[in-house]
Amino acid sequence: MPNFRSTPAIDRQLAELQEAGYGNRTQVIHAAVARFHYEELGNGAPPRELQVWRHTSGDYYLILWQGILCAACGPMPLEQALPIAQGRAPEPTQWDGDLVDWVDDEWDAGRMARVWPAGEE
């Protein structure tokens, strides 16, 4: 993630988000950007997107992204994850909230790659 020049307003917002439980620094910065777009620019809520990520182990994970990493499900076969992300199969009835931190840490460590949409392999 590129460095940015902080301001008192940004620092205050980041502290609020950390207190609200948005997690690690990456998640907090993503949430701050999403909140800025919503509150300051009037762009509405960030779009909700289902993504498929692949771990270096070869496992696939279904990711719910809405300005921040909101939820994850997996591991699951690509044949199961891809139709869900593309809207051709029903979403899981239950997401694994505990998986979010692990998935995010693995992404930050370079052990995850987004394969759908617009693969970043």
Side-chain angles (χ1 to χ4, degrees), residues 66-100:
Q66 191 166 6
I68 62 168
L69 176 59
C70 297
C73 190
M76 62 178 60
L78 180 61
E79 296 79 19
Q80 180 183 0
L82 194 55
I84 297 170
Q86 293 173 337
R88 297 183 290 119
E91 289 186 27
T93 55
Q94 188 170 10
W95 293 85
D96 187 348
D98 295 333
L99 188 60
V100 171

Side-chain angles (χ1 to χ4, degrees), residues 32-77:
V33 169
R35 183 181 281 183
F36 174 77
H37 280 276
Y38 177 72
E39 292 178 355
E40 303 299 326
L41 300 179
N43 289 343
R48 184 179 188 277
E49 180 178 52
L50 292 177
Q51 301 177 357
V52 178
W53 292 4
R54 186 186 67 237
H55 190 263
T56 54
S57 67
D59 292 330
Y60 291 88
Y61 293 85
L62 184 64
I63 304 299
L64 174 57
W65 186 270
Q66 191 166 6
I68 62 168
L69 176 59
C70 297
C73 190
M76 62 178 60

Side-chain angles (χ1 to χ4, degrees), residues 98-116:
D98 295 333
L99 188 60
V100 171
D101 288 335
W102 179 81
V103 167
D104 193 49
D105 290 343
E106 291 298 289
W107 175 275
D108 288 344
R111 291 186 288 265
M112 287 281 192
R114 189 172 76 185
V115 295
W116 196 90

